[in-house]
Amino acid sequence: VTEQVHIALALERAGWHPAAWRAQTARPHELTSPVYWRDLLRTADDAGLVLATIEDALSLADRFEPTDGLRRDRVRGRLDAVLLASYLAPLTSRIGLVPTVTTAHPEPFHVATGIQTLDFASRGRAGVRLVAGASAAERANFGRRATGVDALPASGRVEDSPEIAAAFREAGEFADVLARLWDSWLDDAVIRDAESGRYVDADRVHNIDFEGEFFSVTGASIVPRSPQGRPLITVLAHQTVPYRLAAEHADLVFTTPHSADDVAAIRTEVNTAAAVLRSDGRERLRVFADLLVLIEDTADAARQAARRLDDLAGAELASDARIVIGTAGDVVDEIVALAGAGVDGIRLRPARQPADVAAIAEQVVPLARAAGVLRDAGQSGTAGSGTLRSRLQLSRPESRYAREKVAL
Amino acid sequence: VSLPRQIHLAAHFPGVNSTTVWTDPSAGSQIEFDSFAHFARNAERGLFDYVFLAEGLRLREHKGRVHELDVLGRPNTLSILAALAAITEHVGLVGTLNTTFNEPYELARQLSTLDLLSGGRAGWNAVTSSDAFHGANFRRGGYLDHADRYERAREFADLAKKLWDSWPEDAPRADAGSGVFLDEDVPTRVRHRGSQFDVDALFDVPRSPQGRPVIVQAGDSADGRGFGAEHAEVIFSLHTEFEAARAFYDDVKGKLPAWGRDEESLKILPAATFVLGDTEQEAQERSREIALAQVRPEVALTYVEQVWGRDLSGYDPDGPLPDVDPDTGSETARGWANRHAAVRARIAKLRELSDAEGLSIRDLVIRLTATHTFVGTPQRIAAEIDRYVQERATDGFTVVGHLTPHGLDEFTERVVPLLQERGSYRQSYEEGATLRDLLGLPAPRATRPLTTGPLTTVPFTTPSLATR
């Protein structure tokens, strides 16, 4: 029996190759236009992809890039991802919408209500990808924090940098506050009881009274409980501290294995962290593997296209994720191998948008389906009724305050 | 023949207060997306200039619990406006957003994003707030004293304007041939050092269709009016009685020439409620019915409990005002806009009004909170609105219905055509018009980001209207 996986998409402006905007099929003048994003998301939605993440950062420069002497041959500028996802919600019907949010500067309260509103507007398809810490460029834009995430320490380990370790603790608090705010209204809080004149039952709305190391948030959300109860929390993780963040707070973790052995090691580490940190009764953390893909009809054509972009970029494509340059069949082979190694899903990072998004939709998805590797809720599920959680076989969580009430 | 002065209308989504009648069997959800979609589509059908949303920072409380009697719960303002951009084409999208509990860089990029996603239809009702009750939900935290909060608002908007002006209209170049995505020195670096913000910023959203959102303001103090005259493009006032409206209009618009602005560069759109009937008598009866639904007995008692700051649940809402003293030290009224009012003076005024007109508690509260601005036949209401505009008492109104989400449908269906017949309301949207175009406003004057001259200042307001 072939193991089945979900297929997700990671969207990043012109794509994940630094010279993607110079590809012939690119739309470099439209990267902040609504039409460009509508077209991309409709393609992905029609193909039945389970979710799309949207990259974001609060700076013109990339995360570990100096702001002085900013390279002029890279894509610069973008739309706010939460608002872009909100815009896309009414224009799509099945795909999960997972914008990126950094946890150092935004207000957890605004992010919580923004993602709940996305959950309402998408009828239960909202998620969020949390990114810990603030880069130097982001800190300069806000002027509020002296330290943050400038570069990994020499060891490469997060725990060896006090600043980055603190950023991950803050991200944990951030995730915790999101979940508490999302639970703060019980599902049945709105009673509309004309008899007593009460619109809500105050006993079913709970102040979260959160006091943490980095911030405190007192009240309940302004938004009633949303269709999924708790929208999906996701993180991208490459090492122990982020795995622990995911294990404690996330529903889904994106990882970057380069082999089946890597998958086994990651699963072991994630499971170990989860055994300690994941609260009782919480569903199993879903593990996705990222692949950066550049797809042409032949392997030669793909290599040529990649080389052309590499030449334009002045360097060979490099990525934290495994890179697949080849045919759709090559991509599906990789997916089958990762599925066999035990991941729940694959997140494909298109090297070029829209070209590789189209190739994923038109070629990879049908081939994966034919190979029996695609977990295809879109085919068998009831059209329109599926929330993102339900497509991932995650149940709708009951509010922690409902449980407390029972415990009393 | 010159056209009559043109009427501008904003559609205010019903708020979390007693104006919104949830006990009506036809009342819909305050939170489902369909409600907002219906509301925005109706506003677009009625050729409104914009839809207008308030902001939620914390749920209202009464006696230490969330307030149960009114509609409670609403969406995140920016997210719902972005979603509405996808299902509308012409109508403006204006949100109330606070300068105290946001950061300039982030809010500027969110508003630029909304303007890009909507094709130039974004507006910002800039408000300040400072109290610890709302602050408790935010990193920025509790209390800013009055002067600081205005200082922050001034710096905030100054900085936001510089960020919006830092990208030229023709960027990015995105020239695949030469490999230049962004020219050198684009965007202009924005350096700002003040008492509130110290940033060295490179803005990361390209220039939006309007350059910057339309700035709306709701301040009414002498200072507020002065700043409105200097910076606001729309003022959302509370002066709806004709003479008071005209006095406000004269006062604010009279200040414009001193800032090099003409009368049309600022639109005044007071909040207005309405009740329609086939006959005047029917409208009056309906107004009374709606007022009784808005001010149910328990709502009336809550109102006086807010003022008195103590439990008055033993009093008869149909009886006289409580004869007891207020508890001015009470926290009963947390989260309510009136908490800083001079309570005793206020009560004295209430007693005076009640005595003079022989009003019960409930009728007094109806008189104060549920007196509808326009009551009558569609013909009469259209004529009244037109009179306000032609006689320069307002430029139009910010209309709010009493039912979610369809409270303005009948306004669109029955009043708008009559305004059109009078020649003082648009027959259609102009294709590609921005919100600023709809409002007949001139393009904003650019800041000069790198000069060291005096800070440009901008409107800021108290949150009393917007958070109701």
Side-chain angles (χ1 to χ4, degrees), chain A residues 299-321:
Chain A
D300 268 353
R303 278 193 293 273
Q304 277 175 29
R307 197 174 313 125
R308 184 177 167 273
L309 291 182
D310 287 350
D311 288 345
L312 291 171
E316 193 179 340
L317 177 62
S319 175
D320 54 331

Side-chain angles (χ1 to χ4, degrees), chain A residues 91-167:
Chain A
L91 303 176
T92 50
S93 60
R94 289 189 295 164
I95 193 166
L97 297 167
V98 184
T100 297
V101 168
T102 61
T103 58
H105 287 107
E107 289 286 354
F109 192 85
H110 290 323
V111 172
T113 61
I115 299 296
Q116 283 184 297
T117 301
L118 174 61
D119 208 35
F120 275 106
S122 64
R123 297 183 164 79
R125 295 182 285 122
V128 63
R129 186 176 82 84
L130 298 180
V131 174
S135 66
E138 290 176 330
R139 299 201 304 277
N141 288 337
F142 285 78
R144 220 176 60 196
R145 303 174 77 122
T147 60
V149 177
D150 295 323
L152 283 175
S155 69
R157 290 196 304 265
V158 165
E159 54 270 39
D160 293 337
S161 160
E163 292 81 17
I164 303 180

Side-chain angles (χ1 to χ4, degrees), chain B residues 52-66:
Chain B
F52 182 62
L53 261 71
E55 176 184 45
L57 300 173
R58 188 156 175 191
L59 299 176
R60 290 164 63 195
E61 288 185 6
H62 182 59
K63 297 181 185 171
R65 289 154 55 85
V66 299

Side-chain angles (χ1 to χ4, degrees), chain B residues 334-368:
Chain B
R334 291 202 300 168
W336 291 67
N338 60 17
R339 67 193 286 265
H340 293 302
V343 174
R344 286 170 183 278
R346 178 121 185 258
I347 288 174
K349 283 198 168 171
L350 294 184
R351 288 196 196 286
E352 193 180 326
L353 181 60
S354 168
D355 290 348
E357 302 188 15
L359 300 174
S360 68
I361 291 174
R362 191 179 184 192
D363 278 328
L364 178 73
V365 177
I366 286 174
R367 174 72 198 281
L368 294 171

Side-chain angles (χ1 to χ4, degrees), chain A residues 163-202:
Chain A
E163 292 81 17
I164 303 180
F168 276 92
R169 290 201 305 280
E170 182 178 35
E173 279 190 11
F174 200 103
D176 193 11
V177 165
L178 293 185
R180 286 170 190 271
L181 286 168
W182 293 341
D183 279 352
S184 63
W185 291 56
L186 302 196
D187 290 314
D188 56 0
V190 173
I191 55 173
R192 289 176 177 260
D193 181 21
E195 189 86 353
S196 68
R198 296 183 309 152
Y199 186 79
V200 293
D201 178 349

